[in-house]
């Protein structure tokens, strides 16, 4: 298929994917029971494996969807864009990827992604985002609730950082990685799942790039993590001090690279033991903890629940399947409000460490 004259059907795509000149590698990536079978040029498969390492299992997750990555030229992209699609095919618009074409067959949970120069970094990143969206779609379909929250694990206790935007979740996460040797689970969202054996509540993290503002970076003490992030920031944005109060500019970094810079590691999932709501208070002298009531805990988690696919993976929301109504589940873990002065740094880390130790003993 070098061009598409009038229409395009599922059988046309299947036949083109099987053509003798096609050299697509086949592999499988996913989390829990939400695997995606991927057919793509080998450099794309290798990139996906590198980007998702530590989060997605490779090769053994049961396949819930299929993703075909087609490396094509601009002429074929234009031809596919202009073709009339025969049901059940539909187009999925990816707002940040205008040079791609994404065709979806919901009846077979199959996606065909057409990319120009697919083996370059930016197109391969699009492939990762679509793959991740398909994994999230499967988990949403299983009724797993998603929350806007950061998460790390310390001494075997999973700690969720829950709160409004700019509340200090990323800053607190960085301090914990740097000072406490915590393991990173995620900084943007996680799914709440139940362990099949113990029925314990677990946070499931994802390979999502972490955005770090200048204020969070500057709050770090001198050390290898700050040095690494400062170098990356200056290479991309210049003087970090000029962005101190900038809430929009963020340094993007893979979670695996952030963990490595902090001499830590990533964990794809952890058993939740407690939750913390960070609250900055300029009048506070030292960090202090207040335990939330059951009503306050429920309100906090509910406000940070991601209810719709567009909230869970906004740039790939067009890949979402039919919405499913699921019962609201709130993590049943002790939840605290951490009131802290700006730049509390190591003092806050010690408060968190003491709290984790108490939870470990009580548990």
């Amino acid at each position: 298929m070098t061009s598409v004259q009038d229409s395009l059907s599922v059988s046309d795509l299947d036949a083109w994917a099987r053509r003798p000149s096609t050299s697509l590698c086949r592999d499988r990536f996913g989390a829990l029971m939400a695997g995606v079978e991927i057919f793509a040029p080998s450099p794309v498969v290798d990139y996906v494996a590198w980007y998702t390492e530590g989060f997605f299992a490779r090769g053994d997750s049961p396949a819930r969807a299929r993703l075909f990555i087609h490396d094509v030229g601009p002429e074929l992209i234009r031809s596919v864009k202009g073709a009339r699609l025969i049901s059940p095919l539909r187009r999925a618009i990816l707002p940040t990827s205008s040079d791609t074409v994404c065709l979806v067959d919901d009846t077979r949970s199959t996606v065909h992604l057409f990319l120009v120069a697919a083996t370059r970094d930016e197109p391969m990143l699009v492939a990762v985002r679509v793959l991740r969206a398909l994994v999230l779609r499967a988990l949403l379909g299983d009724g797993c609730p998603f929350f806007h929250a950061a998460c790390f694990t310390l001494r075997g206790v999973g700690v969720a950082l829950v709160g409004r935007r700019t509340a200090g979740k990323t800053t607190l996460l960085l301090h914990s990685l740097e000072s406490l040797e915590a393991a990173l689970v995620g900084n943007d969202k996680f799914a709440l799942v139940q362990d099949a054996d113990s029925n314990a509540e677990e946070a499931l993290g994802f390979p999502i790039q972490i955005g770090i503002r200048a204020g969070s970076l500057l709050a770090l003490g001198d050390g290898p993590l700050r040095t690494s992030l400062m170098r990356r920031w200056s290479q991309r944005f210049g003087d970090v001090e000029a962005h101190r109060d900038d809430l929009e500019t963020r340094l993007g970094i893979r979670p695996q690279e952030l963990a490595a810079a902090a001499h830590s590691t990533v964990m794809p999932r952890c058993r939740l033991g407690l939750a913390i709501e960070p609250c900055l208070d300029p009048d506070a002298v030292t960090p202090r903890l207040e335990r939330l009531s059951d009503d306050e805990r429920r309100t906090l988690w509910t406000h940070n629940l991601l209810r719709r696919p567009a909230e869970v993976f906004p740039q790939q929301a067009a890949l979402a399947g039919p919405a499913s109504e699921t019962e609201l589940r709130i993590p049943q873990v002790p939840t605290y409000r951490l009131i802290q002065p700006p730049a509390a740094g190591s003092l806050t880390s010690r408060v968190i460490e003491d709290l984790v130790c108490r939870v470990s003993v009580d548990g």
Side-chain angles (χ1 to χ4, degrees), residues 54-308:
F55 287 96
F56 285 173
R58 183 178 185 180
D60 59 357
S61 299
R64 299 276 294 276
R66 296 188 305 165
L67 172 61
F68 289 87
I69 308 292
H70 304 292
D71 191 352
V72 300
E75 290 186 3
L76 183 55
I77 286 283
R78 289 192 292 269
S79 184
V80 173
K81 281 184 177 180
R84 178 177 61 87
L85 300 185
I86 298 176
S87 179
L89 277 183
R90 66 177 177 87
R91 285 186 179 84
I93 305 300
L94 309 180
T96 59
S97 310
S98 58
D99 292 335
T100 69
V101 174
C102 186
L103 305 182
V104 182
D105 174 8
D106 289 308
T107 62
R108 299 191 301 170
S109 296
T110 299
V111 173
H112 288 265
L113 186 62
F114 293 82
L115 301 170
V116 176
T119 56
R120 293 182 181 175
D121 283 355
E122 185 57 33
M124 288 194 292
L125 186 55
V126 174
V128 170
R129 290 169 180 163
V130 171
L131 169 70
R132 186 175 60 220
L134 291 175
V135 172
L136 300 182
R137 166 180 167 164
L139 292 170
L140 281 171
D142 287 343
C144 294
F146 282 74
F147 296 95
H148 177 218
C151 188
F152 64 86
T153 179
L154 177 64
R155 302 180 186 275
V157 177
V159 181
L161 305 177
V162 192
R164 60 178 177 80
R165 185 173 178 264
T166 73
K169 297 188 296 295
T170 300
T171 303
L172 195 54
L173 175 67
L174 294 178
H175 280 307
S176 300
L177 294 177
E178 177 190 45
S179 305
L180 303 178
E181 300 181 356
L184 175 64
V185 178
N187 185 56
D188 185 63
K189 59 177 67 71
F190 65 74
L192 183 67
V193 299
Q194 288 187 313
D195 181 78
D197 298 323
S198 65
N199 211 35
E201 295 177 318
E202 296 192 334
L204 179 65
F206 299 95
I208 299 175
Q209 194 175 67
I210 294 174
I212 301 173
R213 299 186 182 93
S216 295
L217 196 163
L218 291 169
L220 286 171
D222 292 333
L225 180 57
R226 180 185 173 116
T227 299
S228 175
L229 295 179
M230 279 287 196
R231 182 174 61 251
R232 287 171 176 266
W233 185 284
S234 62
Q235 290 172 348
R236 183 167 182 183
F237 303 117
D239 183 14
V240 67
E241 286 287 349
H243 295 83
R244 178 181 287 273
D245 299 319
D246 183 354
L247 298 182
E248 301 304 324
T249 303
R250 302 184 186 189
L251 175 67
I253 182 171
R254 289 171 60 239
Q256 300 94 327
E257 293 176 285
L258 176 62
H263 301 296
S264 181
T265 186
V266 297
M267 291 189 64
R269 57 193 290 183
C270 69
R271 180 172 179 173
L272 279 180
L274 63 93
I276 294 174
E277 178 190 16
C279 293
L280 291 176
D281 182 358
D283 297 325
V285 178
T286 58
R288 69 180 189 276
L289 291 166
E290 296 177 351
R291 181 156 180 172
L292 301 188
S293 67
D294 284 344
D295 287 343
E296 290 174 321
R297 174 182 58 83
R298 190 176 300 107
T299 298
L300 176 65
W301 282 106
T302 302
H303 284 173
N304 288 278
L305 174 68
L306 303 175
R307 296 179 180 273
R308 299 183 299 274

